[in-house]
Amino acid sequence: MNGASTRRVWDLPTRLFHLALIALFAFSWWSAENGELRWHRWSGYTVLTLLLFRLFWGFAGSTTARFVQFVRGPRAFVMYARGLLTRDAAPSLGHNPMGGWSVLAMLLLLLVQTGTGLFAVDTDGVESGPLSHFVSFDAGRTLAELHETSFNLLLVLIGLHIAVVLFYLLYRRDNLITPMLSGRKRLAADPALRFASPALAALLLVVAAALVAALVFGLG
């Protein structure tokens, strides 16, 4: 790419969200598989806090983090899909039209995963979610099954996500991993992106944590 130089494309809050979510998802999986349900619940509360923050950041954050920047209509999705196998296509800033919908699907499934966990009831009714007393035993068991189903769907979506990242890296020679770690990407021109204040991100994270605390401990 002649004349290209590294340009800032991802802000620190978005990158930290991404890395923290990966770590917490893995920890939630491990804690559930090993019967560490106390830690599993706390991990779920933290994931829910991050999800609320990401929703806020999708409206108030930096350009590439905003939903309006990467959530496109069906026409943009189809047009991008038609050129997916083109090796010399210009790199996308942030999420491309296909990846944007994948992000939304993952956020939705994670909200279902954490939300159902709050109301889920186990088979003996002992280790249950903090809001399980608001639903009947049968409803709690149904939500527990949905909790497990959404987890399995997340595994499929994550597997597809990893496969697509490798496809971009190996076939299209477009490294999506390094920019998410460093925040910078080689581009021919300055994209003139707007970056929101880290202080705003911290404030929104505190608000998200307060909302989750009020939900879990205020109603629990």
Side-chain angles (χ1 to χ4, degrees):
M1 190 182 296
N2 295 330
S5 59
T6 56
R7 316 279 184 172
R8 188 183 179 198
V9 293
W10 291 111
D11 60 40
L12 182 61
T14 301
R15 287 150 47 209
L16 289 177
F17 163 82
H18 191 264
L19 294 174
L21 192 61
I22 293 173
L24 285 166
F25 184 84
F27 181 77
S28 294
W29 189 358
W30 173 86
S31 57
E33 290 294 320
N34 289 275
E36 299 288 346
L37 297 183
R38 177 173 177 269
W39 289 109
H40 184 74
R41 283 194 292 269
W42 277 102
S43 180
Y45 302 156
T46 309
V47 170
L48 183 55
T49 298
L50 288 179
L51 291 174
L52 290 182
F53 162 77
R54 186 61 183 89
L55 292 178
F56 297 155
W57 201 239
F59 294 100
S62 305
T63 301
T64 50
R66 294 196 175 207
F67 297 128
V68 69
Q69 193 272 341
F70 62 81
V71 179
R72 308 292 181 82
R75 183 177 180 181
F77 182 96
V78 172
M79 289 182 63
Y80 186 86
R82 286 176 178 173
L84 188 61
L85 298 180
T86 304
R87 287 180 181 268
D88 58 352
S92 297
L93 287 176
H95 300 297
N96 61 59
M98 293 183 69
W101 285 102
S102 174
V103 170
L104 284 188
M106 195 169 295
L107 290 176
L108 177 60
L109 276 175
L110 284 167
L111 284 171
V112 171
Q113 174 77 3
T114 52
T116 53
L118 296 175
F119 296 91
V121 176
D122 66 353
T123 53
D124 57 13
V126 176
E127 292 291 348
S128 303
L131 305 183
S132 59
H133 56 278
F134 285 107
V135 298
S136 66
F137 178 81
D138 289 340
R141 288 302 303 146
T142 299
L143 290 169
E145 293 173 1
L146 183 56
H147 186 69
E148 183 175 354
T149 300
S150 61
F151 172 77
N152 292 330
L153 290 175
L154 275 167
L155 289 181
V156 173
L157 194 57
I158 291 170
L160 288 174
H161 181 72
I162 294 173
V164 169
V165 169
L166 292 176
F167 166 79
Y168 272 81
L169 178 64
L170 301 176
Y171 180 81
R172 295 188 55 159
R173 300 294 190 268
D174 186 2
N175 187 342
L176 304 179
I177 303 171
T178 301
M180 184 54 71
L181 295 175
S182 67
R184 306 182 72 85
K185 188 169 187 174
R186 287 186 63 81
L187 298 170
D190 187 349
L193 302 175
R194 172 191 170 275
F195 290 94
S197 167
L200 175 61
L203 175 61
L204 293 176
L205 183 61
V206 170
V207 171
L211 289 174
V212 172
L215 178 66
V216 172
F217 303 111
L219 298 178

